[in-house]
Amino acid sequence: MMNYNKHLLGLSILSMCFPVLSEALPEGATKIPSTPEIPNRLSIEYFSPDQIFEFKKLDHYSEPKWLTDNYVKTGKLPPVEQRLPEAPMVMKTASMPDGVGVYGGVLRQVTGGRPQGWNWSAAHSQGWGGINYIVQQCLTRTGPMYQLKTDQLQVLPNLAQSWEWSKDGKTLTMHLLKGAKWSDGVPFTSEDVRFYWEDTVLEPRVPSFSSQNALGDGAKLTIIDEYTIRWSFNKPFQNQALYNMAFMTFCPGPAHVLKPLHPKYNNQATFEDFSNALPANEVPTVTMGPWVPVSYKEDQIILLRRNPYYWKVDEKGNQLPYMDEVRYKLSTWESRTLETMSGSADFSNMENPPIYIETLRKLAASNSPTRAMFGPRNLAFQIQMNMNPTLSVRDDREAAIRQLNRKLKFRKAISHAIDRKSLGQALVKGPFTAEYAGGLHPETAFYRQSDVVYYPYNPRLSKQYLAELGLVDSDGNGVVNFPDDINHGDDLEIVFNSGNGTADSVFNDNLVSMMADIGIKLIPRLLDSVQGDSARDAGDFDWRLNRSDKELIVPMQRMEWLAPIAQSGPVWHRGTANNPQVLQPFEQKMVTLAHEIFAERDNKKQADLIGELNHEMTKNVYHVGLVAYPGALLVNKRIRNVPNAPITAYQWAEDAVMRERFWVPKQQQLKGLKPHTVPEYE
Ligand code: BQZ
């Protein structure tokens, strides 16, 4: 049997023979070249799910001594055994790299994002970089799945501690963790789940990270009792449901806090008020996570302290987390890596190729404070060309661009205009980058070279295609013109949304000149992280530069990136009630394939269907692949219980490594900014 997870991490060469597609390649297309493996890649230790955690009542529980002294003895908090669920989640010693830990210390993190607020039920981000992963706890968990043995691969429980499918596969009954409490002591129950689903996901006036069909075809929820819920679907075995109940699509917010702010329960409130509720400066916020944001200073810091109601313990009964404080410096993504290299921060996904050489040099020093784990080429960049004919369209030019983006010949012309080898070397010299045709990332589980159709560098063919589309330089200024009856025959100018980091500027410089070579004027529009995300979510772009990660590694969990199964995606063909998606025949075909993939229970057949989907995606240049590249996880050597992990697989490393188990030996612990305190609510 193939080791699914090994392949996910790109650690071995596929030994099975897959059917080679017999269909002839389209004009100009080739097979994608293979690339040499990255040397010294990380090795992963594999476990069964019950070696990672189990739900179990223990005889005895404990907590940091200061917590008992300052809060329990003074009557501010009930004793620890009353704060924990009936049977808490027990994190097992077997899978801890350094075993049971000691309490105390500070984890110093950095993010390039900024918190929009704490109302994630209304699609607020808390600033990425792993803060979202702390405050949003979900029914299931996928991050640590990268460590599961192949034959025991399953979506992991979290706030839903177990579930079962009915015989006909059309209903899924889930049991919630009994007696778990929010950080303010209020019980977590099925009412939190119901409110999240009915009043935020299904409520069209509330923006949401999720949608009904993304969860499973025709998903409906019934509340059985306080701790039991039941899903029913139109189609059997909607396996993607369990993936989509993990981060970031099924993490209920606190109903007791949110209901009074929601118009259905409060006739003074509006939907706009609700969406803007819980701004970033309203702390402490209420969460099920291991740490709770207790202070926020704009563009400076988010400080988090341990949650005294957290529902996990180790095998000795010590309530988790071990570390008392987490600090998030609000800075840039690049400084996250540079600070972690120099030892002033503890954790970074190294993902910005232009700084790789410098960080490698620093890592080589014998006194480097940082441990680095190199992964496979599981990150990639692509150009997303907006295919919704009307969404956020303001003028004739934008409307004309959308029509062009919808033409396969145009997308092929763009793909043939890109010299990916030069682009890769401009990003970082050496063996890191690989030519990428779009679709699933190379060196990951479901990727098969034989599925991919590649339209490589061939500017002559690009120009021919543009001419065939009627795009010729009629005024002799070097830029092709629209035909006279479209957009006033103006020059073909395309606005290109990107971020403002160094990788973005490398892409901008190179793509501007590659497009100029075929007569297209590319105009970069530099946006910060928050602006970029909101332009993306509003469908407000001609083209945008995108850095993809987990969504193009494990298709089951973000199928809308591969096929438009719901209005919510893909990002480049999003639809709304007023500006719906207008699907083309190849997109319809991809939607059909996606539904076959969901329902297929045989692993091998499912892998073949995914291969077929990837074939359609690349053959139709659904997005324009640029380069694929590896990342590395950097962690300060002071931190214990850090397993080897790729920076992204099922989720980002921040979820995969289980920070609630991190600990630091006493003599190496840093002093907290708010020592010996837990969040206090009015
Ligand atoms: C990792 C991640 C954790 C989002 C974000 C950010 C947003 C996107 C994407 C990554 C950041 C880090 O990625 O780059 O290394 O820490 O946060 O959530 O790029 O702007 O919207 O999809 O995951």
Side-chain angles (χ1 to χ4, degrees):
M1 179 169 192
M2 82 169 173
N3 189 329
Y4 177 99
N5 259 355
K6 268 195 172 172
H7 283 282
L8 178 68
L9 302 165
L11 293 176
S12 66
I13 300 295
L14 224 51
S15 56
M16 286 170 79
C17 283
F18 289 103
V20 178
L21 291 151
S22 49
E23 171 191 329
L25 283 173
E27 179 195 29
T30 60
K31 286 286 159 201
I32 185 92
S34 38
T35 27
E37 276 205 17
I38 316 271
N40 306 322
R41 278 227 304 253
L42 77 165
S43 70
I44 306 286
E45 241 192 297
Y46 294 97
F47 300 101
S48 57
D50 62 0
Q51 286 176 304
I52 299 183
F53 49 68
E54 269 183 318
F55 293 89
K56 209 155 81 183
K57 186 172 166 47
L58 302 183
D59 296 338
H60 167 82
Y61 299 107
S62 46
E63 63 185 346
K65 187 172 178 303
W66 62 261
L67 189 54
T68 323
D69 291 348
N70 299 1
Y71 287 87
V72 180
K73 288 191 179 152
T74 58
K76 286 186 185 160
L77 283 176
V80 62
E81 54 279 2
Q82 290 172 26
R83 303 195 309 264
L84 287 165
E86 276 175 24
M89 180 187 281
V90 182
M91 306 292 275
K92 307 298 275 297
T93 317
S95 58
M96 291 181 179
D98 303 294
V100 166
V102 295
Y103 282 124
V106 178
L107 183 67
R108 299 163 306 168
Q109 300 223 177
V110 178
T111 181
R114 293 294 181 272
Q116 294 168 312
W118 308 115
N119 191 4
W120 59 87
S121 306
H124 282 175
S125 161
Q126 288 74 61
W128 307 112
I131 320 178
N132 292 34
Y133 280 121
I134 292 175
V135 293
Q136 298 183 36
Q137 293 295 313
C138 321
L139 292 189
T140 62
R141 191 173 191 185
T142 54
M145 285 175 71
Y146 82 99
Q147 273 197 299
L148 291 180
K149 291 179 179 155
T150 308
D151 54 350
Q152 299 186 40
L153 193 71
Q154 57 166 80
V155 172
L156 294 166
N158 203 50
L159 289 171
Q161 76 171 81
S162 62
W163 50 80
E164 58 279 339
W165 287 99
S166 62
K167 269 222 179 73
D168 68 358
K170 286 194 173 172
T171 63
L172 173 69
T173 306
M174 302 185 101
H175 309 280
L176 305 179
L177 179 54
K178 237 185 219 160
K181 296 180 180 68
W182 291 95
S183 55
D184 61 355
V186 173
F188 168 84
T189 69
S190 55
E191 177 57 8
D192 295 297
V193 176
R194 186 208 60 78
F195 174 77
Y196 173 70
W197 177 251
E198 279 176 17
D199 298 323
T200 69
V201 178
L202 297 188
E203 171 51 67
R205 288 163 290 185
V206 175
S208 174
F209 288 137
S210 188
S211 71
Q212 181 175 24
N213 286 328
L215 200 69
D217 198 67
K220 284 192 192 64
L221 173 69
T222 314
I223 303 299
I224 307 294
D225 62 35
E226 256 195 306
Y227 293 105
T228 319
I229 61 172
R230 183 164 299 148
W231 294 99
S232 53
F233 304 96
N234 291 341
K235 298 202 175 101
F237 298 109
Q238 295 291 287
N239 296 306
Q240 78 277 23
L242 293 168
Y243 284 92
N244 282 299
M245 286 183 205
F247 186 85
M248 180 176 79
T249 36
F250 217 103
C251 321
H256 66 285
V257 175
L258 294 171
K259 273 160 79 175
L261 306 168
H262 191 289
K264 185 166 151 194
Y265 307 89
N266 173 354
N267 53 22
Q268 311 281 289
T270 65
F271 280 104
E272 204 180 324
D273 295 339
F274 179 76
S275 294
N276 298 327
L278 312 185
N281 57 10
E282 252 176 54
V283 282
T285 194
V286 175
T287 168
M288 294 296 293
W291 297 276
V292 184
V294 294
S295 91
Y296 164 69
K297 291 202 185 81
E298 203 181 326
D299 284 333
Q300 291 179 43
I301 190 175
I302 298 175
L303 183 71
L304 301 97
R305 294 284 306 171
R306 63 181 305 118
N307 171 3
Y309 287 94
Y310 194 53
W311 36 280
K312 296 183 189 176
V313 300
D314 66 18
E315 279 184 276
K316 295 247 162 75
N318 297 306
Q319 187 186 29
L320 297 176
Y322 292 121
M323 298 185 78
D324 287 335
E325 190 171 300
V326 177
R327 252 176 242 170
Y328 265 94
K329 184 166 169 182
L330 306 176
S331 181
T332 64
W333 294 119
E334 271 149 37
S335 76
R336 173 174 71 166
T337 295
L338 297 174
E339 288 210 32
T340 305
M341 286 309 307
S342 68
S344 60
D346 295 321
F347 193 100
S348 177
N349 299 330
M350 183 171 87
E351 60 190 12
N352 298 297
I355 57 175
Y356 281 15
I357 307 285
E358 185 186 340
T359 48
L360 281 174
R361 199 176 301 130
K362 284 193 182 147
L363 271 174
S366 58
N367 61 352
S368 160
T370 320
R371 183 182 147 206
M373 298 166 244
F374 273 88
R377 292 187 185 85
N378 61 1
L379 295 166
F381 282 95
Q382 55 277 115
I383 302 174
Q384 298 175 339
M385 303 162 82
N386 202 335
M387 294 186 192
N388 185 310
T390 55
L391 182 63
S392 293
V393 167
R394 279 157 302 214
D395 54 33
D396 293 348
R397 188 196 62 82
E398 291 182 349
I401 300 291
R402 300 296 174 89
Q403 289 306 327
L404 275 182
N405 291 344
R406 292 173 62 83
K407 295 200 165 102
L408 176 59
K409 193 170 267 182
F410 183 66
R411 299 194 299 275
K412 279 163 71 171
I414 302 311
S415 182
H416 284 305
I418 295 162
D419 178 355
R420 293 168 176 82
K421 271 199 192 125
S422 309
L423 199 52
Q425 289 305 304
L427 204 56
V428 52
K429 293 250 164 342
F432 298 102
T433 59
E435 294 168 65
Y436 165 60
L440 295 176
H441 295 177
E443 302 179 12
T444 60
F446 294 101
Y447 175 86
R448 306 182 312 200
Q449 211 175 349
S450 60
D451 295 321
V452 177
V453 178
Y454 181 40
Y455 300 98
Y457 187 48
N458 186 348
R460 189 198 50 77
L461 198 54
S462 297
K463 285 186 201 153
Q464 180 193 318
Y465 286 167
L466 294 185
E468 286 170 16
L469 289 163
L471 300 162
V472 285
D473 181 11
S474 53
D475 54 8
N477 70 350
V479 179
V480 298
N481 294 75
F482 281 100
D484 286 343
D485 55 337
I486 299 173
N487 190 33
H488 326 287
D490 283 352
D491 281 353
L492 176 48
E493 297 184 345
I494 294 174
V495 178
F496 187 49
N497 285 15
S498 76
N500 53 11
T502 44
D504 300 274
S505 66
V506 172
F507 280 108
N508 285 333
D509 293 350
N510 285 274
L511 291 172
V512 164
S513 87
M514 289 172 195
M515 290 303 130
D517 286 347
I518 61 161
I520 294 179
K521 186 166 177 193
L522 197 66
I523 305 167
R525 178 184 178 210
L526 270 55
L527 301 170
D528 68 27
S529 176
V530 172
Q531 293 166 332
D533 285 359
S534 62
R536 174 194 65 192
D537 298 341
D540 178 14
F541 59 94
D542 296 340
W543 291 5
R544 65 183 291 276
L545 178 68
N546 182 69
R547 199 269 331 272
S548 54
D549 42 85
K550 55 201 178 299
E551 57 275 350
L552 292 171
I553 298 175
V554 184
M556 288 291 270
Q557 56 183 17
R558 287 282 185 285
M559 192 55 94
E560 66 269 30
W561 276 70
L562 289 148
I565 53 162
Q567 291 285 332
S568 53
V571 163
W572 58 96
H573 196 171
R574 203 182 272 284
T576 62
N578 293 333
N579 306 92
Q581 292 169 326
V582 183
L583 299 188
Q584 302 198 50
F586 80 92
E587 291 179 284
Q588 307 273 13
K589 185 171 173 190
M590 290 170 70
V591 171
T592 308
L593 272 170
H595 285 293
E596 283 168 26
I597 291 164
F598 288 147
E600 183 54 68
R601 306 186 85 205
D602 177 302
N603 282 349
K604 164 84 176 68
K605 287 189 190 143
Q606 194 185 50
D608 284 344
L609 287 166
I610 293 173
E612 227 181 289
L613 185 57
N614 201 32
H615 179 71
E616 288 302 317
M617 177 141 188
T618 50
K619 189 173 83 183
N620 290 291
V621 201
Y622 203 25
H623 56 200
V624 182
L626 298 171
V627 293
Y629 70 104
L633 177 58
L634 310 179
V635 187
N636 191 287
K637 289 176 181 164
R638 180 178 106 255
I639 315 280
R640 301 295 197 269
N641 268 358
V642 184
N644 281 357
I647 71 168
T648 180
Y650 293 85
Q651 296 287 345
W652 284 103
E654 291 94 336
D655 184 41
V657 298
M658 299 180 274
R659 285 171 293 175
E660 62 272 29
R661 311 184 310 189
F662 280 10
W663 58 274
V664 175
K666 276 269 177 278
Q667 62 285 4
Q668 285 172 284
Q669 290 180 359
L670 303 174
K671 208 168 163 294
L673 289 176
K674 290 199 170 182
H676 299 177
T677 61
V678 292
E680 295 184 24
Y681 299 88
E682 304 282 281

